[in-house]
Amino acid sequence: MRTDLHVTWGPVLALVATALVAGLAFTRLSEKPKDAERDVTIPGVFWWRLTTGLLGLATAAAALVGTFAPQVAVSALNPGATAPSTAAAESPARWFLLTAALLVAVAAALTLVPVTAAKARPVLGVTWAGIVLAGTAVLNTALTATQAGNLAGFGGADVGATPVFTYDLGAGAAWTFAALVLAALTALAAVGTGVVEREDAGDGTANASVLTPVVAGAVLAVAGFGLPVFSVPGYVAPGLWSNFDTPSWGLWTTVVVVVGAAALAVRSRPKQAAALLTGAALLDALHAAELPLVGGALGGASPSTGFWVTLAAVAALLVAAGMSAAGGRRGA
């Protein structure tokens, strides 16, 4: 039996957040005002937005801890042995995760402000996927370093060697995993909030003129995520369908979210469509930011085809967002 294992705050936060979402599932989606002429704030919308914003902040906080906490924990089996440094196990994607956390934190904070909640909530409902995109890249480094460290610590090829050290996932890996769980809960809460908001405001459609840039942005986004953003000699980046690894799950998650946001924007009200498309553009921009944030840590990185295709996707989605917002102002 292992005596060195213990529970961190990450799973506790995830369980508390799950309980909050489960509690909201039993609340009424909307409340009809008794006096139709009165401007009544619907409590259901308030509580759903509050929960979504708090979950977003909790996600960002867990990701921040995961960024700076050690990803690998080394234990010396021999009391006289000095454990090696785990600096080499620091993920080159940790600044990528930090950027994703800040992006989610800003969107979550604006969701908690009544004046900006309606516009920020759709953005948060998309940008949560950035935590999955960056978090899987960080976890991949931790898993690889742990596996390689145990092979070396237990003698490698020498089967009869006496083990000296054990390599386990550190607190950073645990918090990063907690951030992934909280990001998924944030997504669920954001979807529930969107249902409540739509029920309250009624049906609406975006301008038909945004269909072309939306489709162009979605197609370019899929191509951009399927191609490497940067190239480094001797480094092969995980992809959607080639060199499939742990970060590939983050790529697939982000692609599905971007394409889903684009499809939903076509059927949404102009202002909400603009917010969704802005969130999708931010996700693509985050992916393009891998060039300086991850490639810079590896050294000698140069932009690859995926970088330019992703920038084109950002431009197309921003054009669509601007057109949709302009349509909403004309219809107001």
Side-chain angles (χ1 to χ4, degrees), residues 49-282:
R49 285 176 176 172
L50 177 64
T51 302
T52 303
L54 291 178
L55 281 173
L57 290 178
T59 301
L64 285 174
V65 177
T67 298
F68 297 104
Q71 295 293 322
V72 177
V74 182
S75 301
L77 298 180
N78 185 352
T82 302
S85 174
T86 59
E90 292 182 353
S91 174
R94 61 189 182 278
W95 305 124
F96 187 34
L97 180 59
L98 174 63
T99 304
L102 294 177
L103 181 62
V104 169
V106 172
L110 293 177
T111 301
L112 295 175
V113 180
V115 178
T116 58
K119 297 179 180 179
R121 195 279 309 163
V123 176
L124 179 59
V126 176
T127 53
W128 66 268
I131 297 293
V132 182
L133 179 65
T136 51
V138 171
L139 285 178
N140 186 57
T141 302
L143 294 171
T144 302
T146 301
Q147 182 180 15
N150 281 325
L151 289 176
F154 280 82
D158 188 358
V159 179
T162 303
V164 180
F165 306 105
T166 59
Y167 294 78
D168 300 303
L169 295 177
W175 280 99
T176 301
F177 180 78
L180 299 183
V181 176
L182 288 169
L185 293 174
T186 301
L188 293 175
V191 170
T193 306
V195 172
V196 176
E197 292 174 345
R198 191 176 186 90
E199 184 178 284
D200 176 40
D203 295 332
T205 57
N207 299 329
S209 58
V210 305
L211 181 61
T212 299
V214 165
V215 172
V219 171
L220 289 170
V222 173
F225 280 99
L227 297 170
V229 172
F230 61 89
S231 58
V232 175
Y235 174 77
V236 180
L240 287 175
W241 40 74
S242 61
N243 191 32
F244 198 91
D245 206 344
T246 303
S248 299
W249 293 106
L251 291 171
W252 272 110
T253 300
T254 311
V255 165
V256 170
V257 170
V258 170
V259 174
L264 184 60
V266 177
R267 303 184 58 183
S268 299
R269 300 182 303 279
K271 292 182 179 179
Q272 280 65 33
L276 284 170
L277 293 170
T278 300
L282 289 173

